[in-house]
Amino acid sequence: MAKNQIKVVEKIFDANDRIANENLRRINESKTYSINLMASPGAGKTSFILATINALLDEGVKIGVIEGDTAPVTIDSDKISAAGMPAVQVNTGGQCHLDAVMVEAALDQLPLDEIDLLIVENVGNLICPAAFKLGTHSSVVISSVPEGDDKPYKYPNIYRGLEVLIINKIDLLPYLDFDMEYFSKGVEMLNPGLHTFPLSCKTGEGLAPWLTWLRSKLPNK
Amino acid sequence: MAKNQIKVVEKIFDANDRIANENLRRINESKTYSINLMASPGAGKTSFILATINALLDEGVKIGVIEGDTAPVTIDSDKISAAGMPAVQVNTGGQCHLDAVMVEAALDQLPLDEIDLLIVENVGNLICPAAFKLGTHSSVVISSVPEGDDKPYKYPNIYRGLEVLIINKIDLLPYLDFDMEYFSKGVEMLNPGLHTFPLSCKTGEGLAPWLTWLRSKLPNK
């Protein structure tokens, strides 16, 4: 890249980080815990959010969701609304990731003071979302077993700097050649000691340890 | 976007298209048929290439492969080389798609005159690769059934302007809630009459119709 190009890119990231910091300030003010949820297309982001909503419903945990999509569709935000939780759909206009400005605009449309947990569902993409801070407390990535056990080796950036890794669709393990040891070795090299929760949103298996981790982060409002 | 920004973006696409045209000229000169293969991470791009190589091996079809990866790993290109075919690995340095310049550099390293079919395996991503022409004859997208039946609705751009859609991993259909009619309806809206081949690279089921289509495109060298 030419020097001028590098300067422009740096300026974009600086501006994004500034707005991300302001987003985090607002979220903290509301005593809300917040997550940037990233994954490949079809890894099960929305199913994971719905499973989490349903599991915590009886405990009175209010979960708000920002749904990032590249197209003007409301498939995912409709599912969240149907589950009784506030959802805002953000259409990125073809862009391959959310950025802090988009989240800033979405925050205006959520009753943040009432929300215990804010989940920002990023665009389905293992590359670009990793480069843009949104102003959330933690980053959670979902890997699904049908994607294969070589993903940490091929898409290393997304596994760095995250707090939690969900390994979804473990109900399909008997039908796949997925080497959990090889996968985990790749993750461990990139992010030693990372909290990892293998589970199935379909059967509910393995959800409990994830919920325990999550409860420890939720505020007392 | 500001006017200046739009101008810069247009200039990038113009330059890319110019080099893509030059790539196509070189590929045509060698009487090679060429494919830009795109998909989500883990949809089975490399397995699909290997299944195609193995199926056409006895017919003496020589297949060259350009492997696009965001990280400096040779997992996929090693598999192609092990199958006895020439492969070039392109590391995009974190970038989320291949572009015409990267393909141009890779072409220099392939014995194009001897190759009947060139497959360019793009970076695993359903968004960005759709925006950059590489100079291939056709675009092929692989959707895998574990990704879910709503992908055409959520990632419409990738389904437009392609020649062939592969629906991979149909051996997993009995274990998934995948509505083929809903999926196909979404594809049909975006790309009416698209050649679509449901198959399983694992079991070999459904490969034959794809191979018939492909044979009709291969040159007589």
Side-chain angles (χ1 to χ4, degrees):
Chain A
M1 252 196 290
K3 261 194 181 170
N4 276 347
Q5 278 181 288
I6 292 172
K7 267 190 194 163
V8 171
V9 171
E10 278 175 359
K11 236 172 126 179
I12 291 170
F13 281 117
D14 282 353
N16 185 77
D17 284 1
R18 196 171 33 77
I19 298 164
N21 288 340
E22 175 57 19
N23 289 345
L24 185 57
R25 195 197 55 74
R26 284 174 71 181
I27 293 168
N28 277 333
E29 211 171 67
S30 306
K31 292 184 181 158
T32 302
Y33 189 71
S34 56
I35 286 172
N36 176 12
L37 184 62
M38 299 176 283
S40 292
K45 292 184 292 301
T46 310
S47 306
F48 175 70
I49 296 172
L50 289 170
T52 302
I53 287 175
N54 289 329
L56 298 178
L57 209 57
D58 288 345
E59 299 168 33
V61 178
K62 188 142 184 176
I63 301 177
V65 180
I66 297 174
E67 284 289 347
D69 278 295
T70 64
V73 287
T74 56
I75 297 173
D76 291 343
S77 53
D78 287 349
K79 287 180 187 169
I80 306 298
S81 300
M85 294 293 168
V88 178
Q89 204 259 354
V90 176
N91 173 12
T92 68
Q95 202 169 295
C96 52
H97 59 87
L98 289 176
D99 61 29
V101 175
M102 296 177 194
V103 171
E104 182 186 40
L107 287 179
D108 293 337
Q109 299 175 56
L110 282 170
L112 214 52
D113 285 338
E114 300 166 19
I115 291 172
D116 302 295
L117 170 65
L118 172 69
I119 303 182
V120 185
E121 182 180 333
N122 220 310
V123 173
N125 184 337
L126 275 195
I127 308 160
C128 319
F132 288 81
K133 284 186 197 173
L134 305 181
T136 54
H137 292 100
S138 65
S139 293
V140 175
V141 163
I142 305 180
S143 280
S144 69
V145 292
E147 294 169 57
D149 49 30
D150 57 2
K151 292 298 148 297
Y153 302 90
K154 288 187 181 172
Y155 302 86
N157 284 345
I158 199 105
Y159 294 89
R160 293 186 181 114
L162 60 139
E163 279 68 33
V164 169
L165 175 64
I166 304 294
I167 306 175
N168 193 19
K169 307 193 189 182
I170 59 167
D171 54 293
L172 294 175
L173 278 173
Y175 317 111
L176 299 166
D177 306 315
F178 185 93
D179 184 339
M180 191 65 86
E181 205 172 313
Y182 177 65
F183 177 87
S184 301
K185 202 180 130 194
V187 173
E188 185 65 21
M189 279 190 327
L190 299 164
N191 197 329
L194 177 65
H195 292 285
T196 302
F197 302 108
L199 53 82
S200 164
C201 294
K202 193 173 177 180
T203 66
E205 189 189 345
L207 263 177
W210 150 248
L211 294 170
T212 303
W213 182 90
L214 183 59
R215 279 191 200 96
S216 76
K217 300 292 178 185
L218 294 181
N220 283 321
K221 281 203 180 181
Chain B
M1 248 195 292
K3 260 193 183 171
N4 276 349
Q5 277 180 289
I6 292 173
K7 266 191 194 160
V8 171
V9 172
E10 277 175 0
K11 236 172 125 179
I12 291 170
F13 281 118
D14 282 353
N16 185 78
D17 284 0
R18 195 169 38 75
I19 298 165
N21 288 340
E22 175 59 17
N23 289 346
L24 184 58
R25 195 196 56 72
R26 284 174 71 182
I27 294 168
N28 277 334
E29 212 170 66
S30 306
K31 294 187 179 154
T32 302
Y33 188 71
S34 56
I35 285 172
N36 176 11
L37 184 62
M38 298 176 284
S40 293
K45 293 184 292 302
T46 310
S47 305
F48 176 70
I49 296 172
L50 289 171
T52 302
I53 287 175
N54 289 330
L56 297 177
L57 209 58
D58 288 346
E59 299 169 34
V61 178
K62 188 143 186 176
I63 301 177
V65 180
I66 297 173
E67 285 289 347
D69 279 296
T70 64
V73 287
T74 56
I75 297 173
D76 291 343
S77 53
D78 287 350
K79 287 181 186 169
I80 306 298
S81 301
M85 294 294 168
V88 179
Q89 203 259 354
V90 176
N91 173 13
T92 68
Q95 201 169 295
C96 52
H97 59 87
L98 289 176
D99 60 30
V101 175
M102 296 176 194
V103 171
E104 183 185 39
L107 287 179
D108 293 339
Q109 299 174 58
L110 282 170
L112 216 50
D113 285 337
E114 299 167 20
I115 290 171
D116 302 295
L117 171 64
L118 172 69
I119 303 181
V120 184
E121 183 180 333
N122 219 311
V123 173
N125 184 338
L126 275 194
I127 307 161
C128 320
F132 287 81
K133 284 186 197 171
L134 304 182
T136 54
H137 293 100
S138 64
S139 292
V140 175
V141 163
I142 305 180
S143 280
S144 69
V145 293
E147 293 169 55
D149 49 29
D150 57 3
K151 291 299 147 296
Y153 303 90
K154 288 188 181 172
Y155 302 86
N157 284 344
I158 199 104
Y159 293 90
R160 294 188 181 110
L162 60 138
E163 279 69 34
V164 169
L165 176 64
I166 304 295
I167 306 176
N168 192 21
K169 307 193 191 182
I170 58 168
D171 54 292
L172 293 175
L173 278 173
Y175 317 111
L176 299 166
D177 307 315
F178 185 93
D179 184 340
M180 190 64 85
E181 206 173 311
Y182 177 66
F183 177 85
S184 301
K185 203 180 128 192
V187 173
E188 186 65 21
M189 281 191 326
L190 298 164
N191 196 330
L194 178 64
H195 293 285
T196 303
F197 301 109
L199 53 82
S200 164
C201 294
K202 193 173 178 181
T203 67
E205 189 189 345
L207 262 177
W210 149 249
L211 295 169
T212 302
W213 181 91
L214 183 60
R215 280 191 200 97
S216 75
K217 301 291 178 186
L218 293 180
N220 283 319
K221 281 202 180 183

PDB file of all heavy atoms in Angstrom, chain A residues 71-98:
ATOM      1  N   ALA A  71     -28.141  -7.346   3.536  1.00  0.00           N
ATOM      2  CA  ALA A  71     -29.307  -7.095   2.688  1.00  0.00           C
ATOM      3  C   ALA A  71     -30.464  -6.596   3.554  1.00  0.00           C
ATOM      4  O   ALA A  71     -30.483  -6.819   4.766  1.00  0.00           O
ATOM      5  CB  ALA A  71     -29.707  -8.385   1.972  1.00  0.00           C
ATOM      6  N   PRO A  72     -31.425  -5.899   2.932  1.00  0.00           N
ATOM      7  CA  PRO A  72     -32.550  -5.374   3.720  1.00  0.00           C
ATOM      8  C   PRO A  72     -33.580  -6.452   4.044  1.00  0.00           C
ATOM      9  O   PRO A  72     -34.711  -6.390   3.577  1.00  0.00           O
ATOM     10  CB  PRO A  72     -33.132  -4.285   2.803  1.00  0.00           C
ATOM     11  CG  PRO A  72     -32.769  -4.716   1.419  1.00  0.00           C
ATOM     12  CD  PRO A  72     -31.487  -5.496   1.522  1.00  0.00           C
ATOM     13  N   VAL A  73     -33.171  -7.466   4.798  1.00  0.00           N
ATOM     14  CA  VAL A  73     -34.106  -8.513   5.207  1.00  0.00           C
ATOM     15  C   VAL A  73     -34.256  -8.494   6.719  1.00  0.00           C
ATOM     16  O   VAL A  73     -33.323  -8.133   7.427  1.00  0.00           O
ATOM     17  CB  VAL A  73     -33.623  -9.927   4.792  1.00  0.00           C
ATOM     18  CG1 VAL A  73     -33.758 -10.130   3.315  1.00  0.00           C
ATOM     19  CG2 VAL A  73     -32.196 -10.178   5.258  1.00  0.00           C
ATOM     20  N   THR A  74     -35.415  -8.880   7.215  1.00  0.00           N
ATOM     21  CA  THR A  74     -35.650  -8.845   8.656  1.00  0.00           C
ATOM     22  C   THR A  74     -35.887 -10.252   9.205  1.00  0.00           C
ATOM     23  O   THR A  74     -36.477 -10.413  10.266  1.00  0.00           O
ATOM     24  CB  THR A  74     -36.879  -7.954   8.976  1.00  0.00           C
ATOM     25  OG1 THR A  74     -38.006  -8.454   8.245  1.00  0.00           O
ATOM     26  CG2 THR A  74     -36.628  -6.512   8.590  1.00  0.00           C
ATOM     27  N   ILE A  75     -35.363 -11.261   8.479  1.00  0.00           N
ATOM     28  CA  ILE A  75     -35.562 -12.664   8.893  1.00  0.00           C
ATOM     29  C   ILE A  75     -35.122 -12.862  10.346  1.00  0.00           C
ATOM     30  O   ILE A  75     -35.858 -13.404  11.166  1.00  0.00           O
ATOM     31  CB  ILE A  75     -34.765 -13.619   7.967  1.00  0.00           C
ATOM     32  CG1 ILE A  75     -35.270 -13.519   6.524  1.00  0.00           C
ATOM     33  CG2 ILE A  75     -34.853 -15.063   8.471  1.00  0.00           C
ATOM     34  CD1 ILE A  75     -34.430 -14.306   5.515  1.00  0.00           C
ATOM     35  N   ASP A  76     -33.906 -12.396  10.674  1.00  0.00           N
ATOM     36  CA  ASP A  76     -33.359 -12.637  12.003  1.00  0.00           C
ATOM     37  C   ASP A  76     -33.997 -11.750  13.067  1.00  0.00           C
ATOM     38  O   ASP A  76     -34.348 -12.228  14.148  1.00  0.00           O
ATOM     39  CB  ASP A  76     -31.833 -12.421  11.994  1.00  0.00           C
ATOM     40  CG  ASP A  76     -31.119 -13.509  11.192  1.00  0.00           C
ATOM     41  OD1 ASP A  76     -31.741 -14.559  10.944  1.00  0.00           O
ATOM     42  OD2 ASP A  76     -29.958 -13.297  10.819  1.00  0.00           O
ATOM     43  N   SER A  77     -34.155 -10.447  12.752  1.00  0.00           N
ATOM     44  CA  SER A  77     -34.726  -9.556  13.771  1.00  0.00           C
ATOM     45  C   SER A  77     -36.182  -9.926  14.053  1.00  0.00           C
ATOM     46  O   SER A  77     -36.654  -9.779  15.186  1.00  0.00           O
ATOM     47  CB  SER A  77     -34.581  -8.084  13.365  1.00  0.00           C
ATOM     48  OG  SER A  77     -35.092  -7.851  12.080  1.00  0.00           O
ATOM     49  N   ASP A  78     -36.894 -10.460  13.052  1.00  0.00           N
ATOM     50  CA  ASP A  78     -38.273 -10.922  13.285  1.00  0.00           C
ATOM     51  C   ASP A  78     -38.300 -12.066  14.294  1.00  0.00           C
ATOM     52  O   ASP A  78     -39.192 -12.142  15.144  1.00  0.00           O
ATOM     53  CB  ASP A  78     -38.920 -11.393  11.969  1.00  0.00           C
ATOM     54  CG  ASP A  78     -39.262 -10.229  11.042  1.00  0.00           C
ATOM     55  OD1 ASP A  78     -39.188  -9.066  11.506  1.00  0.00           O
ATOM     56  OD2 ASP A  78     -39.596 -10.475   9.871  1.00  0.00           O
ATOM     57  N   LYS A  79     -37.299 -12.965  14.194  1.00  0.00           N
ATOM     58  CA  LYS A  79     -37.242 -14.103  15.130  1.00  0.00           C
ATOM     59  C   LYS A  79     -37.020 -13.621  16.570  1.00  0.00           C
ATOM     60  O   LYS A  79     -37.590 -14.157  17.508  1.00  0.00           O
ATOM     61  CB  LYS A  79     -36.108 -15.059  14.727  1.00  0.00           C
ATOM     62  CG  LYS A  79     -36.413 -15.882  13.473  1.00  0.00           C
ATOM     63  CD  LYS A  79     -35.244 -16.812  13.147  1.00  0.00           C
ATOM     64  CE  LYS A  79     -35.442 -17.521  11.817  1.00  0.00           C
ATOM     65  NZ  LYS A  79     -34.218 -18.202  11.366  1.00  0.00           N
ATOM     66  N   ILE A  80     -36.153 -12.609  16.715  1.00  0.00           N
ATOM     67  CA  ILE A  80     -35.871 -12.071  18.057  1.00  0.00           C
ATOM     68  C   ILE A  80     -37.122 -11.391  18.608  1.00  0.00           C
ATOM     69  O   ILE A  80     -37.498 -11.592  19.774  1.00  0.00           O
ATOM     70  CB  ILE A  80     -34.694 -11.061  18.013  1.00  0.00           C
ATOM     71  CG1 ILE A  80     -33.455 -11.677  17.353  1.00  0.00           C
ATOM     72  CG2 ILE A  80     -34.393 -10.531  19.410  1.00  0.00           C
ATOM     73  CD1 ILE A  80     -32.861 -12.868  18.042  1.00  0.00           C
ATOM     74  N   SER A  81     -37.776 -10.589  17.772  1.00  0.00           N
ATOM     75  CA  SER A  81     -38.998  -9.900  18.204  1.00  0.00           C
ATOM     76  C   SER A  81     -40.064 -10.916  18.607  1.00  0.00           C
ATOM     77  O   SER A  81     -40.773 -10.728  19.601  1.00  0.00           O
ATOM     78  CB  SER A  81     -39.537  -9.012  17.076  1.00  0.00           C
ATOM     79  OG  SER A  81     -38.573  -8.044  16.711  1.00  0.00           O
ATOM     80  N   ALA A  82     -40.167 -12.003  17.821  1.00  0.00           N
ATOM     81  CA  ALA A  82     -41.157 -13.047  18.124  1.00  0.00           C
ATOM     82  C   ALA A  82     -40.864 -13.698  19.476  1.00  0.00           C
ATOM     83  O   ALA A  82     -41.770 -14.195  20.140  1.00  0.00           O
ATOM     84  CB  ALA A  82     -41.172 -14.103  17.020  1.00  0.00           C
ATOM     85  N   ALA A  83     -39.578 -13.679  19.878  1.00  0.00           N
ATOM     86  CA  ALA A  83     -39.197 -14.238  21.179  1.00  0.00           C
ATOM     87  C   ALA A  83     -39.426 -13.223  22.303  1.00  0.00           C
ATOM     88  O   ALA A  83     -39.102 -13.493  23.458  1.00  0.00           O
ATOM     89  CB  ALA A  83     -37.742 -14.690  21.156  1.00  0.00           C
ATOM     90  N   GLY A  84     -39.972 -12.058  21.941  1.00  0.00           N
ATOM     91  CA  GLY A  84     -40.369 -11.077  22.952  1.00  0.00           C
ATOM     92  C   GLY A  84     -39.271 -10.122  23.375  1.00  0.00           C
ATOM     93  O   GLY A  84     -39.387  -9.444  24.397  1.00  0.00           O
ATOM     94  N   MET A  85     -38.200 -10.035  22.611  1.00  0.00           N
ATOM     95  CA  MET A  85     -37.086  -9.165  22.998  1.00  0.00           C
ATOM     96  C   MET A  85     -36.906  -8.037  21.971  1.00  0.00           C
ATOM     97  O   MET A  85     -37.223  -8.209  20.796  1.00  0.00           O
ATOM     98  CB  MET A  85     -35.785  -9.972  23.108  1.00  0.00           C
ATOM     99  CG  MET A  85     -35.798 -10.988  24.238  1.00  0.00           C
ATOM    100  SD  MET A  85     -35.836 -10.188  25.874  1.00  0.00           S
ATOM    101  CE  MET A  85     -36.216 -11.613  26.929  1.00  0.00           C
ATOM    102  N   PRO A  86     -36.399  -6.875  22.416  1.00  0.00           N
ATOM    103  CA  PRO A  86     -36.211  -5.756  21.485  1.00  0.00           C
ATOM    104  C   PRO A  86     -35.072  -6.021  20.500  1.00  0.00           C
ATOM    105  O   PRO A  86     -33.986  -6.440  20.904  1.00  0.00           O
ATOM    106  CB  PRO A  86     -35.871  -4.570  22.400  1.00  0.00           C
ATOM    107  CG  PRO A  86     -35.384  -5.171  23.670  1.00  0.00           C
ATOM    108  CD  PRO A  86     -36.024  -6.527  23.797  1.00  0.00           C
ATOM    109  N   ALA A  87     -35.351  -5.811  19.217  1.00  0.00           N
ATOM    110  CA  ALA A  87     -34.336  -6.048  18.183  1.00  0.00           C
ATOM    111  C   ALA A  87     -34.314  -4.896  17.189  1.00  0.00           C
ATOM    112  O   ALA A  87     -35.361  -4.353  16.833  1.00  0.00           O
ATOM    113  CB  ALA A  87     -34.633  -7.352  17.447  1.00  0.00           C
ATOM    114  N   VAL A  88     -33.127  -4.528  16.761  1.00  0.00           N
ATOM    115  CA  VAL A  88     -32.961  -3.499  15.736  1.00  0.00           C
ATOM    116  C   VAL A  88     -32.205  -4.125  14.580  1.00  0.00           C
ATOM    117  O   VAL A  88     -31.164  -4.749  14.779  1.00  0.00           O
ATOM    118  CB  VAL A  88     -32.150  -2.294  16.264  1.00  0.00           C
ATOM    119  CG1 VAL A  88     -31.957  -1.253  15.164  1.00  0.00           C
ATOM    120  CG2 VAL A  88     -32.826  -1.681  17.461  1.00  0.00           C
ATOM    121  N   GLN A  89     -32.727  -3.975  13.374  1.00  0.00           N
ATOM    122  CA  GLN A  89     -32.057  -4.520  12.207  1.00  0.00           C
ATOM    123  C   GLN A  89     -31.200  -3.437  11.554  1.00  0.00           C
ATOM    124  O   GLN A  89     -31.673  -2.329  11.325  1.00  0.00           O
ATOM    125  CB  GLN A  89     -33.100  -5.054  11.220  1.00  0.00           C
ATOM    126  CG  GLN A  89     -32.590  -6.113  10.267  1.00  0.00           C
ATOM    127  CD  GLN A  89     -32.284  -5.544   8.890  1.00  0.00           C
ATOM    128  OE1 GLN A  89     -32.548  -4.382   8.621  1.00  0.00           O
ATOM    129  NE2 GLN A  89     -31.710  -6.366   8.040  1.00  0.00           N
ATOM    130  N   VAL A  90     -29.936  -3.745  11.305  1.00  0.00           N
ATOM    131  CA  VAL A  90     -29.044  -2.803  10.627  1.00  0.00           C
ATOM    132  C   VAL A  90     -28.682  -3.382   9.268  1.00  0.00           C
ATOM    133  O   VAL A  90     -28.121  -4.478   9.178  1.00  0.00           O
ATOM    134  CB  VAL A  90     -27.740  -2.572  11.428  1.00  0.00           C
ATOM    135  CG1 VAL A  90     -26.782  -1.670  10.648  1.00  0.00           C
ATOM    136  CG2 VAL A  90     -28.040  -1.983  12.783  1.00  0.00           C
ATOM    137  N   ASN A  91     -29.025  -2.659   8.209  1.00  0.00           N
ATOM    138  CA  ASN A  91     -28.649  -3.084   6.859  1.00  0.00           C
ATOM    139  C   ASN A  91     -27.346  -2.385   6.475  1.00  0.00           C
ATOM    140  O   ASN A  91     -27.303  -1.162   6.370  1.00  0.00           O
ATOM    141  CB  ASN A  91     -29.779  -2.724   5.884  1.00  0.00           C
ATOM    142  CG  ASN A  91     -29.408  -2.983   4.440  1.00  0.00           C
ATOM    143  OD1 ASN A  91     -28.413  -3.634   4.150  1.00  0.00           O
ATOM    144  ND2 ASN A  91     -30.217  -2.459   3.538  1.00  0.00           N
ATOM    145  N   THR A  92     -26.291  -3.154   6.269  1.00  0.00           N
ATOM    146  CA  THR A  92     -24.983  -2.549   5.991  1.00  0.00           C
ATOM    147  C   THR A  92     -24.866  -2.068   4.536  1.00  0.00           C
ATOM    148  O   THR A  92     -23.832  -1.520   4.161  1.00  0.00           O
ATOM    149  CB  THR A  92     -23.832  -3.553   6.245  1.00  0.00           C
ATOM    150  OG1 THR A  92     -23.914  -4.599   5.259  1.00  0.00           O
ATOM    151  CG2 THR A  92     -23.908  -4.146   7.636  1.00  0.00           C
ATOM    152  N   GLY A  93     -25.884  -2.326   3.732  1.00  0.00           N
ATOM    153  CA  GLY A  93     -25.840  -1.902   2.327  1.00  0.00           C
ATOM    154  C   GLY A  93     -24.767  -2.633   1.539  1.00  0.00           C
ATOM    155  O   GLY A  93     -24.069  -2.038   0.723  1.00  0.00           O
ATOM    156  N   GLY A  94     -24.634  -3.917   1.807  1.00  0.00           N
ATOM    157  CA  GLY A  94     -23.658  -4.727   1.081  1.00  0.00           C
ATOM    158  C   GLY A  94     -22.310  -4.802   1.767  1.00  0.00           C
ATOM    159  O   GLY A  94     -21.478  -5.628   1.402  1.00  0.00           O
ATOM    160  N   GLN A  95     -22.071  -3.950   2.743  1.00  0.00           N
ATOM    161  CA  GLN A  95     -20.768  -3.962   3.443  1.00  0.00           C
ATOM    162  C   GLN A  95     -20.633  -5.247   4.260  1.00  0.00           C
ATOM    163  O   GLN A  95     -21.613  -5.766   4.782  1.00  0.00           O
ATOM    164  CB  GLN A  95     -20.656  -2.725   4.333  1.00  0.00           C
ATOM    165  CG  GLN A  95     -19.215  -2.370   4.663  1.00  0.00           C
ATOM    166  CD  GLN A  95     -19.088  -0.996   5.310  1.00  0.00           C
ATOM    167  OE1 GLN A  95     -19.383   0.027   4.697  1.00  0.00           O
ATOM    168  NE2 GLN A  95     -18.671  -0.974   6.560  1.00  0.00           N
ATOM    169  N   CYS A  96     -19.379  -5.705   4.397  1.00  0.00           N
ATOM    170  CA  CYS A  96     -19.131  -7.056   4.899  1.00  0.00           C
ATOM    171  C   CYS A  96     -18.955  -7.141   6.412  1.00  0.00           C
ATOM    172  O   CYS A  96     -18.545  -8.176   6.928  1.00  0.00           O
ATOM    173  CB  CYS A  96     -17.899  -7.611   4.199  1.00  0.00           C
ATOM    174  SG  CYS A  96     -16.489  -6.501   4.303  1.00  0.00           S
ATOM    175  N   HIS A  97     -19.239  -6.059   7.129  1.00  0.00           N
ATOM    176  CA  HIS A  97     -19.077  -6.075   8.591  1.00  0.00           C
ATOM    177  C   HIS A  97     -19.854  -4.903   9.176  1.00  0.00           C
ATOM    178  O   HIS A  97     -20.175  -3.940   8.466  1.00  0.00           O
ATOM    179  CB  HIS A  97     -17.600  -5.920   8.948  1.00  0.00           C
ATOM    180  CG  HIS A  97     -17.018  -4.643   8.406  1.00  0.00           C
ATOM    181  ND1 HIS A  97     -17.080  -3.444   9.086  1.00  0.00           N
ATOM    182  CD2 HIS A  97     -16.424  -4.354   7.217  1.00  0.00           C
ATOM    183  CE1 HIS A  97     -16.516  -2.489   8.346  1.00  0.00           C
ATOM    184  NE2 HIS A  97     -16.114  -3.013   7.212  1.00  0.00           N
ATOM    185  N   LEU A  98     -20.117  -4.962  10.470  1.00  0.00           N
ATOM    186  CA  LEU A  98     -20.645  -3.793  11.175  1.00  0.00           C
ATOM    187  C   LEU A  98     -19.480  -2.891  11.569  1.00  0.00           C
ATOM    188  O   LEU A  98     -18.350  -3.350  11.693  1.00  0.00           O
ATOM    189  CB  LEU A  98     -21.398  -4.222  12.443  1.00  0.00           C
ATOM    190  CG  LEU A  98     -22.743  -4.932  12.235  1.00  0.00           C
ATOM    191  CD1 LEU A  98     -23.299  -5.386  13.578  1.00  0.00           C
ATOM    192  CD2 LEU A  98     -23.749  -4.026  11.536  1.00  0.00           C
TER     193      LEU A  98
END
